[in-house]
């Protein structure tokens, strides 16, 4: 049903907006991603359901790594042929990160530290990735393909972490579905071929959620178990400030509201709260917290600046994408770009992955409904607060349909998808067909908006 809906939506968009139809090979790539995700998820969820845990983990990691390595090698060769360099179409941040890593790797550490934390520093939200590149370039030279192979390893490992997290939360069956979806998610595969910070950032995000959930639910705990999620939460500030702030919020909510039996014994709740408070005290007045405060104070101004920039680029209808309009759609965003627009080549490459998000939003909504109906909402406190806290921040910003900024919300949504799939019943299945119509209208409307806002018809 999902693949048929994709083909119908793509056909309608390509016919109605024929002058802006994507090249056939991009359509084929999208179909490969969409069909691969849905057919393999269905097949593997059934065939792998009875595998011993160790064999399942090996297969999950092995296939995830293989898919990512294949994409990295293929995209590297492709971009070298069409662009003359290993970077994607319209690369800006990718090249900037690479150049910064090259420059800092040739300098002493004192210079790098002053660049990141000195009086002329532009903030800490890119320090983490630049630090990783600097270390790799210092030891191995500016080897771009090596960096991307490391991304493949981290992304494959993330699939295992998401499997462990969702299995503890919602049971083995849901955990395996979530792990498989993560393995096959086109956007995670594609980002391994970019020289951007998202792969490392999302790995740390999932590691934070998994380690904190482990401390909350495991019978035994020690200092290292408690300090690990705190350090991982702090590390997120060095990749994206909003993620670090939301991680602290999720940490607090999970510790205070989680009702699992282990939190009621041995003073664990008190220990976690104490360590969390200590971390906040140590962070108070630092560059990280100053940056959080600055973004909060300038949130309205930043949105206005973003909208003005979009309108100056000819995107006339950007002013209508307000938080009030975008927030209710946040579980389905970003929409899939199925038309060829200048400067949107990378979005065309990722349109299949974004379609998966659009279609699977049905199961996220179903999961929310079932969690409330079955009074299981407390089990989602950690992941729910983190995911919707972050997506809420993005929804009211100027980046509510920016796929790159929405990407960190995807791991939490995948857990909801898996739970929604597991709770699908004949009654709720009847709603899936109308949702297919909604998805088709969604893609056609977005194509109209994308072209119309640029005055292309």
């Amino acid at each position: 049903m999902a693949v048929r809906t994709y083909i119908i939506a793509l056909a309608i968009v390509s016919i109605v907006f024929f002058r802006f139809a994507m090249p056939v090979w991009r359509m084929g790539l999208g179909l490969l991603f969409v069909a691969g995700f849905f057919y393999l998820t269905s097949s593997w969820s059934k065939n792998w359901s009875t595998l011993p845990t160790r064999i399942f983990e090996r297969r999950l990691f092995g296939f995830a790594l293989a898919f990512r390595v294949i994409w990295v090698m293929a995209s590297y060769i492709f971009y070298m042929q069409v662009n003359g360099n290993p970077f994607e179409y319209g690369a800006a941040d990718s090249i900037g990160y690479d150049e910064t890593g090259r420059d800092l790797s040739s300098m002493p550490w004192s210079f790098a530290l002053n660049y990141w934390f000195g009086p002329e520093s532009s903030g800490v939200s890119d320090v983490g990735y630049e630090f990783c590149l600097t270390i790799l370039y210092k030891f191995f030279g500016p080897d771009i393909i090596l960096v991307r192979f490391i991304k493949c390893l981290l992304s494959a490992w993330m699939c295992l972490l998401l499997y462990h997290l969702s299995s503890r939360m919602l049971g083995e069956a849901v955990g395996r579905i979530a792990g498989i979806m993560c393995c096959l998610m086109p956007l995670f595969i594609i980002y391994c071929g970019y020289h951007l910070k998202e792969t490392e950032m999302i790995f740390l995000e999932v590691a934070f959620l998994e380690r904190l959930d482990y401390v909350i639910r495991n019978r035994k705990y020690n200092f290292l178990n408690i300090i690990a999620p705190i350090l991982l939460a702090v590390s997120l500030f060095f990749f994206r400030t909003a993620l670090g702030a939301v991680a602290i919020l999720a940490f607090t909510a999970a510790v205070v509201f989680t009702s699992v039996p282990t939190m009621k014994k041995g003073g664990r709740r008190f220990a976690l709260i104490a360590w969390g408070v200590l971390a906040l005290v140590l962070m108070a007045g630092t560059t990280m917290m100053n940056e959080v405060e600055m973004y909060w104070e300038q949130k309205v101004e930043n949105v206005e600046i973003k909208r003005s920039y979009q309108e100056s680029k000819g995107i006339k209808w950007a002013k209508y994408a307000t938080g009030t309009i975008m927030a209710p759609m946040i579980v389905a965003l970003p929409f899939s770009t199925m038309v060829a627009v200048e400067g949107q080549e990378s979005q065309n490459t990722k349109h299949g992955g974004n379609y998966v998000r659009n279609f699977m939003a049905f199961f996220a909504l179903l999961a929310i409904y079932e969690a409330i109906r079955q009074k299981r909402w407390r089990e989602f406190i950690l992941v729910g607060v983190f995911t919707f806290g972050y997506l809420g921040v993005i929804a009211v910003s100027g980046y509510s349909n920016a796929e790159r900024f929405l990407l960190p919300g995807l791991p939490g949504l995948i857990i909801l998808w898996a739970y929604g799939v597991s709770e699908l019943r004949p009654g709720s299945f009847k709603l899936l067909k109308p949702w297919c119509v909604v998805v088709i209208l969604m893609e056609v409307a977005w194509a109209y908006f994308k072209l119309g806002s640029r005055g292309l018809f």
Side-chain angles (χ1 to χ4, degrees), residues 91-391:
D93 287 352
S94 296
I95 297 175
Y97 288 135
D98 179 61
E99 291 177 347
T100 300
R102 289 171 185 265
D103 291 342
L104 294 180
S105 67
S106 63
M107 299 291 184
W109 278 112
S110 58
F111 180 90
L113 292 173
N114 184 67
Y115 174 81
W116 290 324
F117 303 110
E120 297 183 4
S121 169
S122 59
V124 300
S125 59
D126 281 331
V127 169
Y129 187 54
E130 291 173 354
F131 175 74
C132 293
L133 289 181
T134 300
I135 288 181
L136 289 173
Y137 287 0
K138 273 184 177 292
F139 283 97
F140 303 103
D143 191 337
I144 288 177
I145 199 71
L146 174 64
V147 173
R148 295 183 184 177
F149 282 153
I150 292 174
K151 290 177 185 288
C152 295
L153 285 169
L154 293 176
S155 187
W157 187 4
M158 180 194 68
C159 297
L160 288 178
L161 293 176
L162 195 73
Y163 157 64
H164 293 149
L165 170 63
S166 46
S167 294
R168 282 197 301 268
M169 285 177 53
L170 302 165
E172 184 70 16
V174 174
R176 293 195 176 196
I177 295 172
I180 290 169
M181 286 181 174
C182 189
C183 167
L184 298 170
M185 184 62 208
L187 296 175
F188 290 152
I189 295 172
I190 291 171
Y191 266 87
C192 289
Y194 292 162
H195 225 63
L196 297 170
K197 64 183 178 181
E198 271 64 28
T199 297
E200 291 82 356
M201 179 172 67
I202 294 173
F203 168 78
L204 292 172
E205 165 196 329
V206 176
F208 158 72
L209 294 172
E210 193 275 335
R211 285 294 86 191
L212 180 56
D213 182 78
Y214 176 83
V215 173
I216 289 173
R217 297 177 188 274
N218 198 33
R219 290 183 179 276
K220 297 180 180 180
Y221 71 99
N222 53 39
F223 172 77
L224 291 178
N225 288 339
I226 291 178
I227 202 66
I230 294 175
L231 293 177
L232 287 165
V234 172
S235 73
L236 291 173
F237 283 95
F238 296 100
F239 284 82
R240 186 166 294 161
T241 307
L243 268 182
V246 172
I248 298 298
L249 176 64
F251 182 99
T252 305
V255 171
V256 173
F257 294 109
T258 296
S259 59
V260 296
T262 51
M263 289 295 287
K264 301 175 182 178
K265 299 178 181 179
R268 185 175 311 196
R269 195 187 304 271
F270 174 79
L272 284 168
I273 292 174
W275 279 105
V277 170
L278 178 61
L280 286 175
V281 170
L282 293 175
M283 290 167 58
T286 63
T287 304
M288 289 182 290
M289 299 310 291
N290 291 338
E291 195 167 326
V292 171
E293 184 179 356
M294 180 192 70
Y295 283 134
W296 176 256
E297 292 176 349
Q298 297 179 355
K299 58 184 182 300
V300 175
E301 181 183 347
N302 289 339
V303 172
E304 292 176 352
I305 292 173
K306 174 66 175 178
R307 296 301 180 216
S308 298
Y309 172 78
Q310 290 173 322
E311 291 179 34
S312 70
K313 290 290 186 180
I315 308 175
K316 298 182 296 183
W317 297 347
K319 61 183 178 181
Y320 299 114
T322 63
T324 304
I325 292 174
M326 303 304 281
M329 301 184 288
I330 201 65
V331 295
L333 296 176
F335 299 124
S336 179
T337 299
M338 296 183 175
V339 287
V341 179
E342 185 178 357
Q344 295 284 294
E345 292 85 359
S346 290
Q347 289 304 313
N348 289 156
T349 300
K350 293 178 281 192
H351 84 272
N354 288 334
Y355 168 81
V356 170
R357 293 187 67 151
N358 302 156
F359 187 89
M360 294 302 291
F362 172 85
F363 295 98
L365 295 173
L366 178 60
I368 295 170
Y369 169 77
E370 290 293 341
I372 295 173
R373 186 182 70 83
Q374 298 178 24
K375 298 180 180 180
R376 299 185 66 181
W377 61 270
R378 284 181 179 270
E379 298 176 31
F380 290 88
I381 283 290
L382 173 60
V383 171
V385 170
F386 185 92
T387 302
F388 291 106
Y390 177 76
L391 291 178

Side-chain angles (χ1 to χ4, degrees), residues 177 181 360 363 366-367 416-425:
I177 295 172
M181 286 181 174
M360 294 302 291
F363 295 98
L366 178 60
L416 291 177
W417 298 350
Y419 180 65
V421 168
S422 72
E423 293 296 324
L424 190 63
R425 302 289 184 266

